[in-house]
């Protein structure tokens, strides 16, 4: 990464504090929708078939 | 001014015996360690741990806790022969910590190397799972930090610091940083509250488990700043800062930033160059509030009355660190520092515009994108077990089952360290710390090594009545450059010890 260009990112400075921002999770751009669908299809194929039992059985003792 | 310093990551893995929630986790964890040791031809009884220099009840504030006052889980230095515990040829320690298998990475000097040897630990755990799977039901391992039912287990960072730095400065400047840091390094979690009693999603696995600002404990009343003072090095020269507030990461960028940004803040603290106070009011409550708001709009309140988001506070730290690095390096920060500063500004920029833009770099964002996809497609509520299953299986160490591994393999996470380098790190120690000597001794003279620890290797040499202990109290000695030739040319351990003595260069 030596000599890498340092791009000065957009800053939030000067923006009013109470800008109404949409819920980011709810507003995934449409272009990403098919990408997410691909991921979900793939995960469907490997996800624990009995999710409820898997979650119930995931019991740990506390550690550090 | 650099991100470079001696550092490392220790990770306790979640352990599950499929179909048997009541299985004894200590025994399962012991099986993990012994299965891996056997796969590498390591005899646990030989390369065991030397506890002589461990003092887990020493407090950085300057006093020892009486052993009678300590919770039994704090007594980590009592040797128990039933617990497996080995040192690997990459210089790491693999052992059972409480009820979890733990991989403690070897000491490295850069955030990039920390990521590399941390991921090597995932391959160690994956190998153990593969071995154990041959005897059903086997054992599955998860690189996460909570079961969502009230139990948490740690991923701890370690940073070597100058002893001369006042601990009060560490507490003052690091606390606000840690309150905010989770937005770029958190791994995400389904469920709010230690036992997930409120349905929802939060940014960090660990945040809800933190109850106090400063303290010695790591298993109960967890503190934002942990005061354990066990340097594993020359104690009047060094402090090992033991950071317990982070999450286990799968995203390389988040992992690099966790180590790198923290190291830069520590460098400013050591130089007394942080500048104006950024202390936040109500740090513990604010830590929880930040974690509970994936929109990142929650404001922290500084003691000077200013209010800002976690991203804005991290920009403050970033800009100070960038200016400091620029000034101290004559405008040419070293490549490791430049890499961390680059990702630090890139990730904050994305998080500030739209958190979902950081889905390739930050675990909690990547996980949330998948979960929101499920919610939208299948109309699932946050309390749905399928979402919790995605959360847990996200961190499964198996390449085919672990969802984070699948995303990385398909190019959906930014990968900074390629797989071949990670594979090599499973058996190869870092060359530039004492971990090189430790790992090389295990690789070359394992028959003669009876025990090892962070700061010693103990040999049993035929013909010698006494065990020979090689101290390594200087973490930057015992490097390949310093002792590589001696180690490689010694035909056996006796010759190695003679050569070290003659050369006058102890590994120490």
């Amino acid at each position: 990464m030596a000599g890498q260009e340092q791009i000065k990112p957009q800053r939030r400075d000067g923006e009013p504090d109470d800008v109404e921002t949409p819920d980011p999770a709810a507003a995934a751009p449409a272009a990403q929708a098919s990408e997410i669908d691909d991921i979900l299809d793939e995960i469907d194929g490997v996800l624990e078939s009995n999710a409820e039992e898997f979650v119930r059985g995931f019991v740990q003792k506390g550690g550090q | 001014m650099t991100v470079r310093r001696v550092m490392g990551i220790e990770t306790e893995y979640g352990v599950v015996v499929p179909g048997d929630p009541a299985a004894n986790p200590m025994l399962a964890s012991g099986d993990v360690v012994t299965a891996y040791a056997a796969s590498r031809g390591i005899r646990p009884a030989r390369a065991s741990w030397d506890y002589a220099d461990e003092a887990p009840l020493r407090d950085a504030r300057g006093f020892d806790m009486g052993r009678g006052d300590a919770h039994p889980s704090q007594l980590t230095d009592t040797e128990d022969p039933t617990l497996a515990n080995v040192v690997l040829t990459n210089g790491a320690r693999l052992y059972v910590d409480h009820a979890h298998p733990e991989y403690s990475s070897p000491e490295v000097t850069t955030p990039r190397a920390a990521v590399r040897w941390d991921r090597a630990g995932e391959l160690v755990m994956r190998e153990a799972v593969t071995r154990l799977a041959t005897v059903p039901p086997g054992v599955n391992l998860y690189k996460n930090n909570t079961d969502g039912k009230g139990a948490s287990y740690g991923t701890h960072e370690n940073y070597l610091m100058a002893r001369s730095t006042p601990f009060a400065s560490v507490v003052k400047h690091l606390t606000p940083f840690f309150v905010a840091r989770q937005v770029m390094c958190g791994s995400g979690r389904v469920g709010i509250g230690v036992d997930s009693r409120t349905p929802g999603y939060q940014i960090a696995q660990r945040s809800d488990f933190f109850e106090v600002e400063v303290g010695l404990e790591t298993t109960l009343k967890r503190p934002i700043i942990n005061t354990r003072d066990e340097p594993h090095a020359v104690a009047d020269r060094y402090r090992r800062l033991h950071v317990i507030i982070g999450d286990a990461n799968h995203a390389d960028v988040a992992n690099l930033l966790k180590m790198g940004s923290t190291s830069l803040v520590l460098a400013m603290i050591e130089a007394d160059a942080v500048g104006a106070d950024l202390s936040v009011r109500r740090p513990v409550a604010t830590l929880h509030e930040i974690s509970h708001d994936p929109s990142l709009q929650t404001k922290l309140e500084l003691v000077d009355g200013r209010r800002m988001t976690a991203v804005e506070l991290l920009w403050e730290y970033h800009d100070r660190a960038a200016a400091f690095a620029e000034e101290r390096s004559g405008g040419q920060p070293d490549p490791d520092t430049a890499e961390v500063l680059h990702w630090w500004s890139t990730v904050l920029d994305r998080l500030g515009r739209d958190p979902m833009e950081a889905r390739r770099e930050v675990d909690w964002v990547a996980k949330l994108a998948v979960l929101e996809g499920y919610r939208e497609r299948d109309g699932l509520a946050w309390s749905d077990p399928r979402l919790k299953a995605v959360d847990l299986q996200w961190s499964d160490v198996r390449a085919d089952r672990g969802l984070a591994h699948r995303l990385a393999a398909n190019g959906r996470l930014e990968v900074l360290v390629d797989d071949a380098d990670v594979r090599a790190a499973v058996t190869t120690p870092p060359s530039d710390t004492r971990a090189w000597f430790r790992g090389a001794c295990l690789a070359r003279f394992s028959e003669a090594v009876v025990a090892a620890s962070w700061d010693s290797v103990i040999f049993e040499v035929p013909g010698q009545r006494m065990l020979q202990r090689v101290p390594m109290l200087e973490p930057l000695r015992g490097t390949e450059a310093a002792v590589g030739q001696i180690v490689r040319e010694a035909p056996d351990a006796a010759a190695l010890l003679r050569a070290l003595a003659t050369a006058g260069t102890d590994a120490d």
Side-chain angles (χ1 to χ4, degrees):
Chain A
M1 305 297 281
Q4 179 170 353
E5 188 186 355
Q6 291 289 316
I7 300 156
K8 198 62 192 170
Q10 290 182 1
R11 299 304 304 265
R12 310 174 49 86
D13 300 353
E15 281 182 18
D17 279 346
D18 53 356
V19 166
E20 195 65 33
T21 38
D23 175 2
Q32 286 157 357
S34 66
E35 186 198 331
I36 285 287
D37 285 343
D38 291 348
I39 298 174
L40 298 187
D41 288 345
E42 184 179 335
I43 293 176
D44 284 338
V46 296
L47 198 62
E48 295 283 346
S49 49
N50 190 337
E52 193 163 3
E53 187 184 311
F54 169 60
V55 170
R56 198 180 325 114
F58 195 101
V59 182
Q60 302 293 303
K61 272 208 183 326
Q64 296 215 49
Chain B
M1 169 67 171
T2 173
V3 289
R4 295 177 62 90
R5 71 172 64 239
V6 175
M7 56 177 73
I9 303 175
E10 357 164 354
T11 306
E12 298 174 19
Y13 283 72
V15 56
V16 167
V17 177
D20 187 5
N24 182 324
M26 271 87 95
L27 292 179
S29 300
D31 287 347
V32 167
V33 175
T34 50
Y36 184 77
S39 79
R40 293 283 167 188
I42 303 167
R43 288 170 301 157
R46 298 296 286 182
S48 64
W49 198 253
D50 171 20
Y51 287 90
D53 290 313
E54 297 232 349
L57 302 182
R58 191 157 301 146
D59 193 301
R61 293 168 295 191
F63 50 87
D64 282 4
M65 183 189 261
R67 293 186 78 86
D69 301 334
H71 187 275
S73 65
Q74 286 179 297
L75 302 175
T76 60
D77 63 344
T78 311
E79 194 150 12
D80 179 343
T82 66
L83 296 184
N85 190 344
V86 295
V87 182
L88 309 181
T89 58
N90 71 356
R93 179 189 188 191
L94 177 66
Y95 72 117
V96 181
D97 194 0
H98 305 295
H100 300 271
E102 173 166 328
Y103 169 89
S104 294
S105 83
E107 305 91 325
V108 297
T109 62
T110 67
R112 177 173 270 275
V115 171
R116 182 179 171 196
W117 270 274
D118 179 52
R119 279 179 49 202
E122 296 174 13
L123 297 189
V124 166
M125 295 299 180
R126 184 181 295 170
E127 177 66 26
V129 167
T130 303
R131 296 266 162 172
L132 292 170
T134 58
V135 184
V139 172
N140 290 336
L141 296 174
Y142 298 82
K143 192 190 184 194
N144 64 1
N145 302 104
T146 179
D147 63 359
K149 299 177 180 67
S152 183
Y153 32 100
T155 297
H156 299 171
E157 305 140 57
N158 295 291
Y159 303 91
L160 200 70
M161 299 187 67
R163 170 65 66 183
S164 53
T165 305
F167 197 69
S169 300
V170 176
V171 173
K172 178 178 169 185
H173 297 298
L174 213 48
T175 301
F177 180 68
F178 281 168
V179 169
R181 190 184 70 159
Q182 56 185 326
V183 303
M184 35 177 209
C185 313
S187 287
R189 182 185 155 199
V190 174
I192 314 278
V194 293
D195 57 1
S196 312
R197 65 183 51 192
T198 306
Y201 185 77
Q202 63 174 310
I203 285 169
Q205 294 253 310
R206 291 273 276 175
S207 291
D208 282 348
F209 293 89
F210 283 72
E211 300 174 54
V212 299
E213 294 174 31
V214 183
L216 181 57
E217 292 85 355
T218 54
T219 56
L220 58 158
K221 280 197 218 154
R222 293 184 184 89
I224 294 173
I225 304 290
N226 182 237
T227 56
R228 182 184 291 180
D229 188 4
E230 195 185 357
H232 300 313
V234 181
D236 48 9
R237 201 172 304 160
Y238 303 112
R239 171 192 310 287
R240 174 181 61 115
L241 185 71
H242 187 238
V243 173
I244 68 170
I245 199 169
D247 287 352
N249 290 109
H250 289 91
D252 280 1
V253 173
N255 213 3
L256 181 94
L257 278 181
K258 179 173 72 179
M259 303 303 292
S261 64
T262 305
S263 185
L264 284 176
V265 172
L266 291 177
M268 288 194 288
I269 293 171
E270 287 172 318
D272 196 19
V274 179
D277 190 5
L278 294 169
S279 296
V280 295
R281 295 203 165 116
R282 309 183 304 121
V284 174
T286 306
L287 176 79
H288 299 167
E289 289 160 15
I290 299 278
S291 184
H292 297 172
D293 175 21
S295 78
L296 303 185
Q297 298 305 301
T298 294
K299 295 272 175 43
L300 309 98
E301 192 177 339
L302 271 53
V303 292
D304 66 11
R306 283 188 289 162
R307 299 177 77 240
M308 59 177 75
T309 65
V311 169
E312 288 164 343
L313 181 63
L314 291 172
W315 271 124
E316 287 271 352
Y317 278 98
H318 168 274
D319 289 354
R320 293 178 187 193
F324 189 60
E326 182 86 1
E327 176 202 319
R328 294 291 171 107
S329 65
Q332 282 291 324
D334 61 86
D336 290 296
T337 304
E339 181 179 32
V340 168
L341 287 170
H342 162 73
W343 282 115
W344 194 351
S345 61
T346 300
V347 166
L348 288 183
D349 186 35
R350 291 185 182 160
L351 290 174
R353 264 201 313 264
D354 171 0
M356 298 318 285
E357 283 188 26
R359 70 178 67 193
R360 292 180 57 80
E361 290 85 19
V362 177
D363 300 75
W364 74 263
V365 182
K367 188 186 282 183
L368 179 58
V370 168
L371 291 165
E372 286 292 3
Y374 267 101
R375 280 163 52 74
E376 192 171 332
R377 189 191 71 180
D378 300 343
L380 303 181
W382 278 116
S383 55
D384 194 287
R386 284 174 69 198
L387 298 184
K388 294 183 180 180
V390 167
D391 185 11
L392 295 172
Q393 201 176 325
W394 186 266
S395 56
D396 191 317
V397 301
R398 292 173 293 180
D400 57 339
R401 306 286 287 193
L403 305 185
H405 294 302
R406 294 193 75 106
L407 260 60
N410 290 330
R412 289 173 173 131
L413 291 177
E414 189 74 35
V415 175
L416 299 180
V417 181
D418 68 42
D419 288 347
D421 284 345
V422 174
R423 272 196 303 277
V426 172
T427 50
T428 312
S431 64
D432 56 355
T433 68
R434 64 187 175 191
W436 190 86
F437 180 75
R438 183 187 313 120
C441 285
L442 266 300
R444 300 232 333 118
F445 312 112
S446 64
E447 295 295 310
V449 175
V450 291
S453 72
W454 299 118
D455 50 20
S456 70
V457 178
I458 299 178
F459 295 89
E460 183 173 26
V461 177
Q464 296 265 10
R465 204 165 49 82
M466 308 277 280
L467 296 177
Q468 309 287 307
R469 187 169 195 272
V470 178
M472 300 185 295
L473 286 163
E474 285 287 348
L476 290 174
R477 296 191 194 162
T479 63
E480 183 173 18
V483 297
Q485 194 178 355
I486 291 174
V487 172
R488 273 192 283 267
E489 289 179 356
D492 54 38
L496 170 71
L497 295 170
R498 277 197 306 275
L500 286 172
T502 312
T505 121
D506 246 1
D508 190 21

